Amino acid sequence: MTTPRRLPAALLLASALLAPAARAADGPALVVDAGRPGAPIAPTMWGAFFEDINFGADGGLVAERIKNGAFEFPDGMMGWTLEPDGGTGRVEVRADAPAVAASPHVARLTIDAAGGPAALVNEGFRGIGVKAGTRHRVSLRARAEGAGPVHLRAELVAPGGRVLAGAELGPVPSAWAERSAELVPDATEPKAAFRLVATGRGAVDLDLVSLRPAAADPRPGMGALRADLVGLLDDLRPGFLRFPGGCIVEGRTLANRYDWKRTIGPPESRPVMINRWNDEIKHRPTPDYFQTFALGFFEYFALCEALGAEPLPILNCGMACQFNTGELVPLDQLNPFVQDALDLVEFATGPADSPWGSRRAAMGHPAPFKLNYLGIGNEQWGPQYVERYAPIARAVKAKYPHVQIIASAGPAPADERFRYLWEQFRTLAPDIVDEHCYAAPSWFLDNTRRYDDYDRSGPKVFMGEYAAQSDRTVSPNNRNTWACALAEAAYMTGLERNADVVVMAAYAPLFAHADAWQWTPDLIWFDNLRAYGTPSYHVQRLFARHRGDRVLPATLSGTPTAPNGQPRVYAAAARDDAAGEIILKLVNATARPQTLHVRVDGVKAGPRVATLTTLSAAPDAVNSFDQPQAVAPRVRQATLDAAASSLDLPPHALTIARIPAR
Ligand code: AHR
């Protein structure tokens, strides 16, 4: 251990985080070699993984507030009720005279007593969240049937029955026509309902009922998305976005695998499908969970573009989920899956007059999107995966050599399936291997050196899904505690130190609706009006915002250890080229403050104003809707010597120090 240099006392007073150098004899020490920068840290290093789980898409990131507005769920009336009070109507879902051929079902609302009213009510996604004074656009297709005339009115209604907003949709013609209006609620209500009231005589056929905030993002594809959730994503500064899953890619059976070609084009032409999380987690069933694909592949690419993130689509490789049926496409029938992969690259990046590029152009984006990464399979394993992965990867690489192919290493970070696949990858040579890990916080603390010994000549690593579990995987009792987030931060220092091997990483899952989730923990929780980032969110955000461009060699010594001999103070060092700063990411996972003696070789000694960002809290601390910032970063500045200093690391804390060092 090298003794840190002593600073003038006046400089040391500047921050509570700085300890007098006289205490240098105690505590851990970090030596950083700024004169010998190591591997570049990929711009993709810290990204995000979106899957439509926990109502992440419909009812979440998708701005649409009406559930089953096209009456295409298997139970055509799911989400809708015929209002009994004062109503005089009947409703039936029919398929004999659709407004749009691709969306065959419509609801026929019949007014039984002359004059009516007859009313249909939509419950939204565990209610409809509306804010006072916000403009909402309601639109639908309607046609009158029978004697007529029929008048329609749209309303937003509070749970007690008070009408928050109402607008006339006018008389309904006998041929299908679009009707729209604006609703501006006079109060904020998280659990409103949407009511369509028909008056007059006869019946009205209804389809494609929609309600969404009027002030939508005008960029193609982005208007479909909920702005506050996009904002939280944006604030994460993800280097990439992996989508659309996850197990959802695989499906329980091949019939309900994710097929990207069914998710593009006009929204009403995208066939509704059950969401595999509908009944997957038996203790958290959500029978009303279906995918409308309002968030389809075009929207995913548009979102990536808006976020400045590399798109990373994952494709089904001819295998249904091996935790379910494990259904396989026979090898001699794999061609459509190969073609899907090739067509996807063309859809995203092909010229606007190419067969698939023209589909993108028709959706409003003639310029190509980016597509430099492609995942083949989600959590697959065994020879059956290798046999299916190989021809798809070969075909994509042959036609699009620049596309980085990502292969799955299975669902666990170290088991027989994992070892078998890695062995195969030595010869199959994917560009990147996708590893997953859901484990106790102790696993993350004990595995910060996991990649120190990885083979530097093989494929790179994508830590594609990880999250510390406060209870156990798939337990509904998992909580997004600070202890979990801190363990992830410690682990991430190990990923960053090994940035020559690890080129991407993402926490999982991303979103959860507070009233409709299946899986916990999650990065961002939301309800119909609000959203907050968990402690893990803040860790991800800080690592991404302080990524740095190159790893700096950093040697940590004298750290306190756990009973198993593993360290409990962790560090990574990087250089930000443009800012000319050294970035230290420091984790103290002990319950005591630690004085870390830092020596930085290769920089000129002298006082510098450093920025210190700290996340610290009690291990069981969580964020919530009421206290969204209970665990949140605190930023302060302090003067220290660029070449030698002592930093006081609070207990249970992540500290990020940016030290100017030009
Ligand atoms: O993130 C939740 C699930 O965990 C993903 O769908 C799957 O890939 C993993 O098993």
Side-chain angles (χ1 to χ4, degrees):
M1 184 178 121
T2 322
T3 316
R5 292 179 204 168
R6 188 183 289 270
L7 271 179
L11 297 178
L12 292 167
L13 290 175
S15 163
L17 273 170
L18 297 180
R23 285 164 53 192
D26 313 319
L30 178 69
V31 178
V32 177
D33 192 347
R36 218 164 39 88
I41 302 171
T44 52
M45 185 74 185
W46 311 118
F49 161 49
F50 182 91
E51 175 168 21
D52 187 3
I53 185 172
N54 300 321
F55 278 48
D58 293 295
L61 191 54
V62 171
E64 179 59 62
R65 302 288 201 256
I66 303 291
K67 185 166 68 190
N68 190 20
F71 306 97
E72 294 298 330
F73 285 17
D75 167 0
M77 280 298 289
M78 189 170 265
W80 294 93
T81 44
L82 183 69
E83 190 165 79
D85 289 345
T88 62
R90 273 174 296 136
V91 65
E92 62 175 330
V93 175
R94 310 164 61 104
D96 52 352
V100 179
S103 173
H105 296 94
V106 306
R108 175 163 296 173
L109 178 62
T110 303
I111 304 166
D112 274 338
L120 276 185
V121 175
N122 190 279
E123 65 190 8
F125 299 90
R126 309 296 191 270
I128 295 174
V130 292
K131 283 194 181 142
T134 331
R135 291 160 46 236
H136 289 74
R137 182 173 188 271
V138 51
S139 68
L140 50 78
R141 306 284 175 91
R143 67 166 197 149
E145 173 74 22
V150 179
H151 280 259
L152 274 181
R153 178 179 166 77
E155 293 175 342
L156 284 166
V157 189
R162 196 173 84 76
V163 176
L164 303 168
E168 298 302 326
L169 291 163
V172 180
S174 58
W176 282 108
E178 180 165 347
R179 287 281 177 270
S180 64
E182 206 165 84
L183 291 174
V184 185
D186 63 8
T188 296
E189 172 54 58
K191 298 266 182 196
F194 172 78
R195 180 159 65 194
L196 265 179
V197 186
T199 49
R201 291 153 58 102
V204 58
D205 286 346
L206 299 162
D207 203 0
L208 307 185
V209 185
S210 165
L211 173 80
R212 57 171 79 170
D217 187 327
R219 289 173 291 184
M222 293 299 291
L225 307 183
R226 186 174 145 178
D228 61 332
L229 298 186
V230 172
L232 275 168
L233 266 184
D234 195 33
D235 207 30
L236 266 182
R237 300 242 182 108
F240 66 88
L241 184 71
R242 174 175 180 247
F243 58 87
C247 293
I248 210 163
V249 168
E250 305 164 60
R252 270 170 179 285
T253 62
L254 284 166
N256 57 32
R257 73 183 189 278
Y258 197 101
D259 176 355
W260 72 266
K261 287 177 175 168
R262 294 158 65 102
T263 74
I264 60 168
E268 61 275 14
S269 72
R270 308 175 189 180
V272 168
M273 196 174 78
I274 189 166
N275 186 304
R276 71 153 284 140
W277 297 106
N278 180 310
D279 53 0
E280 180 70 21
I281 307 284
K282 298 300 172 213
H283 50 271
R284 297 283 308 176
T286 36
D288 56 340
Y289 201 0
F290 290 83
Q291 301 177 83
T292 65
F293 301 109
L295 174 60
F297 261 42
F298 180 85
E299 289 76 19
Y300 279 121
F301 281 110
L303 177 61
C304 290
E305 189 173 76
L307 298 173
E310 291 279 347
L312 164 41
I314 305 292
L315 292 183
N316 187 294
C317 62
M319 303 176 75
C321 182
Q322 289 163 281
F323 289 116
N324 301 141
T325 63
E327 191 186 350
L328 295 173
V329 171
L331 288 175
D332 60 0
Q333 292 167 35
L334 200 62
N335 258 352
F337 291 77
V338 176
Q339 198 56 48
D340 278 355
L342 297 175
D343 292 344
L344 178 62
V345 185
E346 186 176 291
F347 172 73
T349 65
D353 58 358
S354 61
W356 285 99
S358 65
R359 305 281 290 269
R360 179 195 72 240
M363 295 181 75
H365 203 288
F369 288 118
K370 273 187 173 179
L371 182 52
N372 298 314
Y373 300 87
L374 186 62
I376 299 172
N378 172 43
E379 281 181 347
Q380 325 302 158
W381 63 82
Q384 57 278 54
Y385 172 51
V386 173
E387 289 162 353
R388 285 161 182 78
Y389 162 84
I392 302 176
R394 233 184 350 257
V396 174
K397 248 333 192 205
K399 190 161 181 191
Y400 301 107
H402 73 281
V403 173
Q404 301 271 294
I405 303 289
I406 298 180
S408 153
D415 63 3
E416 225 9 82
R417 297 169 292 193
F418 178 90
R419 282 185 283 279
Y420 167 80
L421 284 175
W422 259 107
E423 209 39 57
Q424 303 298 313
F425 294 149
R426 305 273 163 230
T427 43
L428 285 170
D431 296 292
I432 303 172
V433 173
D434 177 6
E435 301 186 348
H436 292 183
C437 182
Y438 298 93
S442 57
W443 186 94
F444 290 91
L445 294 173
D446 292 348
N447 280 276
T448 59
R449 296 168 173 169
R450 172 181 172 88
Y451 295 104
D452 292 4
D453 302 326
Y454 257 51
D455 177 4
R456 267 48 198 171
S457 63
K460 305 287 187 201
V461 170
F462 170 28
M463 193 73 209
E465 295 184 23
Y466 66 94
Q469 315 284 298
S470 69
D471 187 14
R472 63 192 154 73
T473 313
V474 194
S475 163
N477 301 323
N478 283 323
R479 296 169 72 235
N480 279 102
T481 62
W482 172 237
C484 287
L486 188 64
E488 290 150 9
Y491 186 69
M492 291 163 77
T493 63
L495 302 184
E496 184 183 298
R497 279 189 300 98
N498 288 285
D500 56 331
V501 172
V502 183
V503 292
M504 311 174 110
Y507 182 98
L510 184 57
F511 284 119
H513 190 305
D515 299 330
W517 57 272
Q518 300 82 44
W519 182 294
T520 180
D522 303 286
L523 204 62
I524 297 169
W525 287 81
F526 62 89
D527 62 16
N528 290 332
L529 285 177
R530 302 167 297 173
Y532 69 87
T534 57
S536 295
Y537 173 89
H538 289 291
V539 166
Q540 295 290 323
R541 180 178 170 277
L542 289 181
F543 269 71
R545 285 173 167 255
H546 301 286
R547 173 172 53 81
D549 300 302
R550 289 187 88 96
V551 177
L552 294 179
T555 312
L556 194 57
S557 58
T559 81
T561 50
N564 65 4
Q566 289 294 327
R568 285 298 176 258
V569 169
Y570 312 85
R575 188 180 81 185
D576 180 327
D577 290 338
E581 291 176 341
I582 288 168
I583 305 170
L584 304 180
K585 301 193 180 77
L586 309 165
V587 172
N588 174 11
T590 75
R592 295 170 184 279
Q594 301 288 336
T595 300
L596 179 71
H597 308 295
V598 182
R599 193 185 87 199
V600 184
D601 294 340
V603 299
K604 207 169 154 210
R608 306 275 195 287
V609 179
T611 305
L612 300 157
T613 306
T614 310
L615 262 175
S616 74
D620 61 352
V622 294
N623 287 342
S624 63
F625 289 111
D626 294 332
Q627 290 194 291
Q629 298 288 326
V631 183
R634 289 188 311 275
V635 183
R636 69 184 76 181
Q637 298 206 307
T639 303
L640 49 72
D641 190 305
S645 55
S646 296
L647 298 181
D648 274 354
L649 309 182
H652 307 297
L654 163 66
T655 301
I656 298 186
R658 292 189 77 110
I659 307 170
R662 271 203 200 283

Coordinates of all heavy atoms in Angstrom, one line a residue, residues 127-188:
G127 N -57.9 1.2 -13.7 CA -58.3 2.6 -13.7 C -57.6 3.4 -14.8 O -56.7 2.9 -15.5
I128 N -58.1 4.6 -15.0 CA -57.5 5.5 -15.9 C -57.0 6.8 -15.2 O -57.8 7.4 -14.5 CB -58.6 6.0 -17.0 CG1 -59.0 4.7 -17.8 CG2 -58.0 7.1 -17.9 CD1 -60.1 5.0 -18.8
G129 N -55.7 7.1 -15.3 CA -55.2 8.2 -14.6 C -55.4 9.5 -15.4 O -54.9 9.5 -16.6
V130 N -56.0 10.5 -14.9 CA -56.1 11.8 -15.6 C -55.7 12.9 -14.7 O -56.0 12.9 -13.5 CB -57.5 12.0 -16.1 CG1 -57.9 11.0 -17.2 CG2 -58.6 12.0 -15.0
K131 N -55.1 13.9 -15.3 CA -54.7 15.1 -14.5 C -55.6 16.3 -14.9 O -55.9 16.5 -16.1 CB -53.3 15.5 -14.8 CG -52.3 14.5 -14.1 CD -50.9 15.1 -14.2 CE -49.9 14.1 -13.5 NZ -48.7 14.0 -14.1
A132 N -56.0 17.1 -13.9 CA -56.8 18.2 -14.1 C -56.3 19.1 -15.2 O -55.1 19.4 -15.2 CB -57.0 19.0 -12.8
G133 N -57.1 19.5 -16.1 CA -56.7 20.5 -17.1 C -56.0 19.9 -18.3 O -55.6 20.6 -19.2
T134 N -55.7 18.6 -18.2 CA -54.9 18.0 -19.3 C -55.8 17.6 -20.5 O -56.9 16.9 -20.2 CB -54.2 16.7 -18.9 OG1 -53.9 16.8 -17.5 CG2 -52.9 16.5 -19.7
R135 N -55.4 17.9 -21.7 CA -56.3 17.6 -22.8 C -56.1 16.1 -23.2 O -55.0 15.6 -23.3 CB -55.9 18.4 -24.0 CG -56.3 19.9 -23.8 CD -55.6 20.8 -24.7 NE -55.6 20.4 -26.1 CZ -54.5 20.1 -26.8 NH1 -53.3 20.4 -26.3 NH2 -54.5 19.7 -28.0
H136 N -57.2 15.4 -23.4 CA -57.2 14.0 -23.8 C -58.0 13.9 -25.1 O -59.1 14.5 -25.2 CB -57.8 13.1 -22.8 CG -57.0 12.9 -21.5 ND1 -56.9 13.9 -20.6 CD2 -56.2 11.9 -21.1 CE1 -56.1 13.5 -19.7 NE2 -55.6 12.3 -19.9
R137 N -57.5 13.1 -26.0 CA -58.2 12.9 -27.3 C -58.9 11.6 -27.2 O -58.2 10.6 -27.0 CB -57.2 13.0 -28.5 CG -57.9 12.9 -29.8 CD -56.9 13.1 -31.0 NE -57.7 13.1 -32.2 CZ -57.9 12.1 -33.0 NH1 -57.6 10.9 -32.6 NH2 -58.6 12.2 -34.1
V138 N -60.2 11.6 -27.4 CA -60.9 10.4 -27.6 C -61.3 10.2 -29.1 O -61.6 11.2 -29.7 CB -62.2 10.4 -26.7 CG1 -63.0 11.6 -26.9 CG2 -63.0 9.1 -26.9
S139 N -61.1 9.0 -29.5 CA -61.5 8.8 -30.9 C -62.1 7.4 -31.0 O -61.8 6.5 -30.2 CB -60.3 8.9 -31.9 OG -59.4 7.9 -31.6
L140 N -62.9 7.1 -32.0 CA -63.5 5.8 -32.2 C -64.1 5.7 -33.6 O -64.2 6.7 -34.3 CB -64.6 5.5 -31.1 CG -65.7 6.6 -30.9 CD1 -66.7 6.5 -32.0 CD2 -66.3 6.3 -29.5
R141 N -64.4 4.5 -34.0 CA -65.2 4.3 -35.2 C -66.6 3.9 -34.7 O -66.7 3.1 -33.8 CB -64.6 3.2 -36.0 CG -63.2 3.3 -36.4 CD -62.9 4.4 -37.5 NE -61.5 4.5 -37.7 CZ -60.8 3.8 -38.6 NH1 -61.3 2.9 -39.3 NH2 -59.5 4.1 -38.7
A142 N -67.6 4.4 -35.5 CA -69.0 4.1 -35.1 C -69.9 4.1 -36.3 O -69.5 4.7 -37.4 CB -69.5 5.1 -34.1
R143 N -70.9 3.3 -36.3 CA -72.0 3.4 -37.3 C -73.3 3.0 -36.6 O -73.3 2.2 -35.7 CB -71.7 2.5 -38.5 CG -71.7 1.0 -38.1 CD -71.7 0.1 -39.3 NE -72.2 -1.2 -38.9 CZ -72.9 -2.0 -39.6 NH1 -73.2 -1.7 -40.8 NH2 -73.2 -3.2 -39.1
A144 N -74.3 3.7 -37.1 CA -75.7 3.4 -36.5 C -76.3 2.3 -37.2 O -76.1 2.0 -38.4 CB -76.5 4.7 -36.6
E145 N -77.1 1.5 -36.5 CA -77.8 0.4 -37.0 C -79.2 0.5 -36.6 O -79.5 0.8 -35.4 CB -77.1 -0.9 -36.4 CG -77.8 -2.2 -36.7 CD -77.6 -2.6 -38.2 OE1 -76.6 -2.2 -38.8 OE2 -78.4 -3.4 -38.7
G146 N -80.2 0.3 -37.5 CA -81.6 0.4 -37.1 C -82.2 1.7 -37.3 O -81.7 2.6 -38.1
A147 N -83.3 2.0 -36.6 CA -84.1 3.2 -36.9 C -83.4 4.5 -36.8 O -83.5 5.4 -37.6 CB -85.3 3.2 -35.9
G148 N -82.5 4.6 -35.7 CA -81.8 5.8 -35.5 C -82.7 7.0 -35.2 O -83.9 6.8 -35.1
P149 N -82.2 8.2 -35.0 CA -80.8 8.5 -35.0 C -80.2 8.1 -33.6 O -80.9 8.0 -32.6 CB -80.7 10.0 -35.2 CG -82.0 10.5 -34.5 CD -83.0 9.4 -34.8
V150 N -78.8 7.9 -33.6 CA -78.1 7.7 -32.3 C -77.1 8.8 -32.1 O -76.4 9.2 -33.1 CB -77.4 6.3 -32.4 CG1 -76.6 6.1 -31.1 CG2 -78.3 5.2 -32.7
H151 N -77.1 9.3 -30.9 CA -76.1 10.3 -30.5 C -75.1 9.7 -29.5 O -75.5 8.9 -28.7 CB -76.7 11.5 -29.9 CG -77.3 12.4 -30.9 ND1 -76.7 13.6 -31.3 CD2 -78.5 12.4 -31.6 CE1 -77.4 14.2 -32.2 NE2 -78.5 13.5 -32.4
L152 N -73.8 10.0 -29.7 CA -72.8 9.5 -28.7 C -72.2 10.6 -27.9 O -72.0 11.7 -28.5 CB -71.7 8.8 -29.5 CG -71.9 7.3 -29.9 CD1 -70.6 6.8 -30.6 CD2 -72.2 6.4 -28.7
R153 N -71.9 10.3 -26.7 CA -71.2 11.2 -25.8 C -70.1 10.5 -25.1 O -70.3 9.3 -24.7 CB -72.2 11.8 -24.8 CG -71.7 12.8 -23.8 CD -72.8 13.3 -22.9 NE -72.2 14.0 -21.8 CZ -71.6 15.2 -21.8 NH1 -71.6 15.9 -22.9 NH2 -71.1 15.7 -20.7
A154 N -69.0 11.1 -24.9 CA -67.8 10.5 -24.2 C -67.6 11.2 -22.9 O -67.8 12.4 -22.8 CB -66.6 10.5 -25.0
E155 N -67.3 10.4 -21.8 CA -67.2 11.0 -20.5 C -66.0 10.4 -19.8 O -65.8 9.2 -20.0 CB -68.4 10.9 -19.7 CG -69.6 11.7 -20.2 CD -70.9 11.4 -19.4 OE1 -71.0 10.4 -18.7 OE2 -71.8 12.3 -19.6
L156 N -65.4 11.1 -18.9 CA -64.5 10.6 -17.9 C -65.2 10.7 -16.6 O -65.7 11.7 -16.2 CB -63.2 11.4 -17.9 CG -62.2 11.1 -19.0 CD1 -61.1 12.1 -19.1 CD2 -61.6 9.7 -18.9
V157 N -65.2 9.6 -15.9 CA -66.0 9.5 -14.6 C -65.2 9.1 -13.5 O -64.4 8.1 -13.6 CB -67.2 8.5 -14.8 CG1 -68.1 8.6 -13.7 CG2 -67.9 8.7 -16.2
A158 N -65.3 9.8 -12.3 CA -64.6 9.4 -11.1 C -65.2 8.2 -10.5 O -66.4 7.9 -10.8 CB -64.6 10.6 -10.2
P159 N -64.5 7.5 -9.6 CA -65.1 6.3 -9.0 C -66.5 6.5 -8.3 O -67.4 5.7 -8.4 CB -64.1 5.9 -8.0 CG -62.8 6.4 -8.5 CD -63.1 7.7 -9.2
G160 N -66.7 7.7 -7.7 CA -68.0 8.0 -7.1 C -69.1 8.3 -8.1 O -70.3 8.4 -7.8
G161 N -68.8 8.4 -9.4 CA -69.8 8.7 -10.4 C -69.7 10.1 -10.9 O -70.4 10.5 -11.9
R162 N -68.9 11.0 -10.3 CA -68.9 12.4 -10.8 C -68.3 12.5 -12.2 O -67.2 11.8 -12.4 CB -68.1 13.3 -9.8 CG -68.3 14.8 -10.0 CD -67.6 15.6 -8.9 NE -66.2 15.8 -9.2 CZ -65.8 16.7 -10.1 NH1 -66.6 17.4 -10.8 NH2 -64.5 16.9 -10.3
V163 N -68.9 13.2 -13.0 CA -68.3 13.3 -14.4 C -67.2 14.4 -14.4 O -67.4 15.5 -14.0 CB -69.5 13.7 -15.4 CG1 -68.9 14.0 -16.8 CG2 -70.5 12.6 -15.5
L164 N -66.0 14.0 -14.8 CA -64.9 14.8 -14.7 C -64.7 15.6 -16.0 O -64.1 16.7 -16.1 CB -63.6 14.0 -14.5 CG -63.5 13.1 -13.3 CD1 -62.4 12.2 -13.3 CD2 -63.4 14.0 -12.0
A165 N -65.2 15.0 -17.1 CA -65.1 15.7 -18.4 C -66.2 15.0 -19.3 O -66.4 13.8 -19.2 CB -63.7 15.5 -19.0
G166 N -66.7 15.8 -20.2 CA -67.7 15.2 -21.2 C -67.6 15.9 -22.5 O -67.2 17.1 -22.6
A167 N -67.8 15.2 -23.6 CA -67.8 15.8 -24.9 C -68.8 15.1 -25.8 O -68.9 13.8 -25.8 CB -66.4 15.8 -25.5
E168 N -69.5 15.8 -26.7 CA -70.4 15.2 -27.7 C -69.6 14.6 -28.8 O -68.6 15.3 -29.3 CB -71.4 16.2 -28.2 CG -72.3 16.8 -27.1 CD -73.1 15.8 -26.4 OE1 -73.5 14.7 -27.0 OE2 -73.3 16.0 -25.2
L169 N -69.9 13.4 -29.2 CA -69.3 12.8 -30.4 C -70.3 12.9 -31.6 O -70.0 12.4 -32.7 CB -68.9 11.4 -30.2 CG -67.7 11.2 -29.2 CD1 -67.7 9.8 -28.7 CD2 -66.4 11.6 -29.8
G170 N -71.5 13.5 -31.4 CA -72.4 13.8 -32.4 C -73.2 12.7 -32.9 O -73.2 11.6 -32.3
P171 N -74.1 12.9 -33.9 CA -74.9 11.9 -34.4 C -74.1 10.9 -35.2 O -73.1 11.2 -35.8 CB -75.9 12.6 -35.4 CG -75.2 13.9 -35.7 CD -74.3 14.2 -34.6
V172 N -74.5 9.6 -35.2 CA -73.7 8.6 -35.8 C -74.3 8.2 -37.1 O -75.5 7.9 -37.2 CB -73.7 7.3 -34.9 CG1 -72.8 6.2 -35.5 CG2 -73.2 7.7 -33.5
P173 N -73.5 8.3 -38.2 CA -74.0 7.9 -39.5 C -74.2 6.4 -39.7 O -73.7 5.6 -38.8 CB -72.9 8.4 -40.5 CG -71.7 8.4 -39.7 CD -72.1 8.6 -38.2
S174 N -74.8 6.0 -40.8 CA -75.1 4.6 -40.9 C -73.9 3.8 -41.5 O -73.8 2.6 -41.4 CB -76.3 4.4 -41.8 OG -76.1 5.0 -43.0
A175 N -72.9 4.6 -42.1 CA -71.7 3.9 -42.6 C -70.6 4.2 -41.5 O -70.7 5.2 -40.8 CB -71.3 4.5 -43.9
W176 N -69.6 3.3 -41.5 CA -68.5 3.5 -40.5 C -67.9 4.9 -40.7 O -67.6 5.3 -41.8 CB -67.5 2.4 -40.7 CG -67.8 1.1 -40.1 CD1 -68.1 0.0 -40.8 CD2 -67.9 0.8 -38.7 NE1 -68.4 -1.1 -39.9 CE2 -68.2 -0.6 -38.6 CE3 -67.7 1.5 -37.5 CZ2 -68.4 -1.2 -37.4 CZ3 -67.8 0.8 -36.3 CH2 -68.2 -0.5 -36.2
A177 N -67.7 5.6 -39.6 CA -67.1 6.9 -39.6 C -66.3 7.1 -38.3 O -66.6 6.5 -37.3 CB -68.1 8.0 -39.7
E178 N -65.2 7.9 -38.5 CA -64.4 8.2 -37.3 C -65.0 9.4 -36.5 O -65.5 10.3 -37.2 CB -63.0 8.5 -37.6 CG -62.1 8.8 -36.4 CD -60.6 8.7 -36.6 OE1 -60.2 8.2 -37.7 OE2 -59.9 9.2 -35.7
R179 N -65.1 9.3 -35.2 CA -65.5 10.4 -34.4 C -64.5 10.7 -33.4 O -63.9 9.8 -32.8 CB -66.8 10.0 -33.7 CG -68.1 10.0 -34.6 CD -68.5 11.4 -34.9 NE -69.7 11.5 -35.8 CZ -69.6 11.6 -37.1 NH1 -68.4 11.6 -37.7 NH2 -70.6 11.7 -37.9
S180 N -64.2 12.0 -33.1 CA -63.2 12.3 -32.1 C -63.7 13.5 -31.4 O -64.5 14.3 -31.9 CB -61.9 12.5 -32.7 OG -61.9 13.6 -33.6
A181 N -63.1 13.7 -30.2 CA -63.4 14.9 -29.4 C -62.3 15.0 -28.3 O -61.4 14.2 -28.2 CB -64.7 14.7 -28.7
E182 N -62.3 16.1 -27.6 CA -61.3 16.4 -26.6 C -62.0 16.3 -25.2 O -63.1 16.9 -25.1 CB -60.7 17.7 -26.8 CG -59.3 17.8 -26.3 CD -58.5 19.0 -26.8 OE1 -58.7 20.1 -26.3 OE2 -57.8 18.8 -27.8
L183 N -61.4 15.7 -24.3 CA -61.9 15.6 -22.9 C -60.8 16.3 -22.0 O -59.7 15.9 -22.1 CB -62.1 14.2 -22.5 CG -63.2 13.4 -23.2 CD1 -63.2 11.9 -22.7 CD2 -64.5 14.0 -22.8
V184 N -61.3 17.3 -21.2 CA -60.4 18.0 -20.3 C -60.9 17.8 -18.9 O -61.8 18.6 -18.5 CB -60.2 19.5 -20.7 CG1 -59.2 20.1 -19.8 CG2 -59.9 19.6 -22.2
P185 N -60.4 16.9 -18.1 CA -61.0 16.7 -16.8 C -60.8 17.9 -15.9 O -59.8 18.6 -16.0 CB -60.2 15.5 -16.3 CG -59.0 15.3 -17.2 CD -59.3 16.0 -18.5
D186 N -61.8 18.1 -15.0 CA -61.7 19.3 -14.1 C -61.0 18.9 -12.8 O -60.9 19.7 -11.9 CB -63.0 19.9 -13.9 CG -64.0 18.9 -13.2 OD1 -63.5 17.8 -12.8 OD2 -65.2 19.3 -13.1
A187 N -60.6 17.7 -12.7 CA -59.9 17.3 -11.4 C -58.9 16.1 -11.8 O -59.1 15.4 -12.8 CB -60.9 16.8 -10.4
T188 N -58.0 16.0 -10.9 CA -57.0 14.9 -11.1 C -57.6 13.6 -10.4 O -58.1 13.7 -9.3 CB -55.7 15.2 -10.4 OG1 -55.1 16.4 -11.1 CG2 -54.7 14.1 -10.5

